[in-house]
Amino acid sequence: MINYEENIEVQGARVHNLKNIDVTIPREKLVVITGLSGSGKSSLAFDTIYAEGQRRYIETFSAYARQFLGGLERPDVDKIDGLSPVIAIEQKTTSKSPRSTVGTITEIYDFLRLLFARAGDAYSYNTGEKMVSYSDDQIKELIKKDYNGKKINVLAPVIKSRKGHYRELFEQIAKQGFVKVRIDGEVKDIVKGMKVDRYKTHDIEIVIDRLKVSDTEDMDKRLSETINTAMYSGENVLMVLEEGQTVARYFSRDLMCPTTGISYPVPEPNTFSFNSPKGMCPNCNGLGHVYEVNEKKIFPNKKLSVKSGGIAPLGEYKKSWAFKQIETIGQRYNFELTDPISSISEEAIDVLLNGGHETFEVDSKTLGVKRSYKIDYEGIANFIKSQYEEAGTTALKRWAKEYMDKITCPECEGARLRKESLYFKIDEKNIAELAHLDIAELAEFFKGLEKKLEGNQLKIAEEIIKEIKTRIQFLLDVGLDYLSLNRSSKSLSGGEAQRIRLATQIGSQLVGVLYILDEPSIGLHQRDNTRLIKSLEALRDIGNSVIVVEHDRDMIECADHVIDIGPRAGKHGGEIISQGHPNELKNENTLTADYITGKREIAVPKKRRKGNGKKITLSGSTGNNLKNVTVSFPLGQMIGVTGVSGSGKSTLINETLYPIMNAHYFNGVKKPMPYKKITGLEHIDKVIDINQSPIGRTPRSNPATYTGVFGEIRSLFAKTPEAAIRGYKPGRFSFNVKGGRCETCQGGGLRVIEMNFLPDVYVECETCNGKRFNRETLEIRYKGKSIADVLEMTINEAVDFFELIPKIYRKLKTIQDVGLGYISLGQQSTTLSGGEAQRIKLATELSKRDTGNTFYILDEPTTGLHFEDIRVLMEVLTRLVDKGNTILVIEHNMDVIKMVDYIIDIGYEGGRGGGKVVAQGTPEEVAQDKKSYTAKYLRPELNIPD
């Protein structure tokens, strides 16, 4: 009898390539699932255990609620027992929205907003005084106390420092029954048709009541009514003016400056949100930056004339309305279209940029009469701005952006909030200042905060501060002390994003939950690995079960239980080949065990390549945290860029070097981060970037379509004699367009049967039996195989089958070389593992003809790869470099780093403590550096003593 309190029992799992496996997973332990890429690890962890957990959770809802959620398909498994609620932390990157920040993802900013709304002190932005607010009773008592026996006017302010004639306002006030108003400090009777000078700024108050204050019951009642009326008309503000005095005193139900009378609305949490109209800066809409037209980009060369293209957005002269308008402006301001722009008067330049509307007359010398001209010109700058703000297409927006600069918003100075929100303070700091601090500095601020608060403020803030401190601590625990809360989430690396989500989960302090993580060590330097493992152990120790899909040696050795899936990948995997404690695993005869015990290893190359002596030098890079970095990339070698997470590797390569090279060779539009200059681009002839984005999100995408080999196969089928007789073109053999595909399932091979309250069921299409094509198309055969048969072939089978067709053979051979011989040509991209997708992408790029002069950039190509897969990958990359190409790898994996020819190490720390090149040279040279973290972990790999 299995005890379900101690184990999760999976029986008969057959999802994807799993071979009807049974597995027992201990609960409340750190369990690592490992094995070759594509062996079935994610199929077991995510597509079986997580999918079933999600499905059971949704089953608890009513049938009515489930119809809106959409059902979840039951995974192909006989039964799973002992399952707890499941939370998955997958490899998906965080939101790309500019409104998403570290503060919003971790919810620390939400707690800060609550703290400032409930316990913040408001200060006047005019005088810096502390704001005050009163109840109606308090106002009444203050008036009786301070004005006893005195004659006063009670006023309701309606207009404050605004221009206008206000005739309608005076009529409205008279209709309400009031007879006097105070205009700019002078009390006047309201008369019919009354108005003021519309071009001057005015202060207007309604005289609500004139009375002599006394301490009687009648006075009490009268004052209450007067205050109520004044508050209604003055929008929660009233003024009391003593007879004979000129300065009035303000009273408000809201927060109010006692001297100038400005008032703030009652603060709510969204008063401090840059994503809410109540809190965002109205100028930049809460983004912290605006785009402004740059005059230098409009007139790049002032020696040119208008006619020869001096105005960049308009280009050279052509017969158009815009140039006609400029000719008219020229007549008004005495310049010709052939004059250089530097000789045109500033006044005329201002009209060209900002527009003008005027009519003028010119004496016609030939006719001897005056001719009238009208300038009605929007202005180039205004036109570009309106195109940027209202453009219907991305292309137009991009065009406008070329002439604009991204600048910090001048109104909020990058703080993203409206003025009022920034004048609420706690311990002399506003919310934007706190969001700007490093997590480590923020932790310091909150450490001593409770001592600085007192009374009610402390009582209200206590719980919120406790929550904030806990969440900050978790971020510190996973090694993110260098981030700040206002850091945009789209600038985070994959490892940082995953660890933030992990910290958020640890912060929720749930117990009895099953957490499933997908390679959390991605993008993590060896130094931070220990912190990550400690965080996972903390999750386990409070009573959770943790399952990690991982290839990292440290993680495997620290696990309580390891499940190794194999023996190979794809069809040849899907079985449990060993499981137990890591020490038991080492005695097994498996690939994983061999690499952990050192029986097999990725050997260090006998000698390093010297390269071709040429180099690309990038000078003065200052993007994000880079500190004026100058670095040379030697060509004809394999270069490794290393450093701790957040040190600036991606900024230097993906955000600076790649956009420069892409723009140079292929006219790319992405703007690089700031740099001074680059030299040596003439030594190579193209750049190829292979990153981690997924290869296809629909079941219609497959390796054959992604690599482009399917197009060649379709052309081959169209050239067969039978297809030529029938007049079939390559489109006939596509399952995505009408003609050759089966119309019942529209080329999908599956039909969806919608079940109202249950998950949709996918059944094989009964017309084509899952073949995707109609009968006529399937009758066309090449070497006895139909197009559907070819899609079902594995890459290994297809390589032999198409051996004599060079175009097809070359592409398939590359897929085989990167170790993916086991996948089928028509396998849906959505069922490929992360490591498989990365290698398909790599194979696609590698199958393009390399010139022996290509620069490849690979961002963590070992993502999702087992030790054996890394060995295969390195063989492919080595062959490429041997042909004379240059490969640059951003990597943390020591098996790759020890094999490169040249290392550029960035650090020493992440964030503000990084951004410098701390060591460079061959792995042996870098390993000698005593301060570098990379060197510390590289020495054992190269057998160099510490």
Side-chain angles (χ1 to χ4, degrees), residues 335-347:
F335 69 85
E336 299 285 331
L337 296 194
T338 49
D339 296 348
I341 283 171
S342 53
S343 68
I344 299 172
S345 69
E346 274 185 32
E347 207 180 344

Side-chain angles (χ1 to χ4, degrees), residues 824-841:
S824 63
L825 273 172
Q827 185 176 339
Q828 299 172 355
S829 290
T830 48
T831 65
L832 293 171
S833 71
E836 287 169 336
Q838 174 106 328
R839 283 182 292 163
I840 292 247
K841 194 182 258 190

Side-chain angles (χ1 to χ4, degrees), residues 481-512:
D481 48 355
Y482 56 87
L483 293 179
S484 60
L485 293 186
N486 62 5
R487 168 90 177 258
S488 171
S489 66
K490 66 177 181 182
S491 71
L492 295 172
S493 69
E496 287 168 338
Q498 182 127 342
R499 284 179 290 153
I500 283 178
R501 295 231 303 287
L502 181 61
T504 312
Q505 286 304 335
I506 301 172
S508 62
Q509 290 286 299
L510 292 171
V511 173

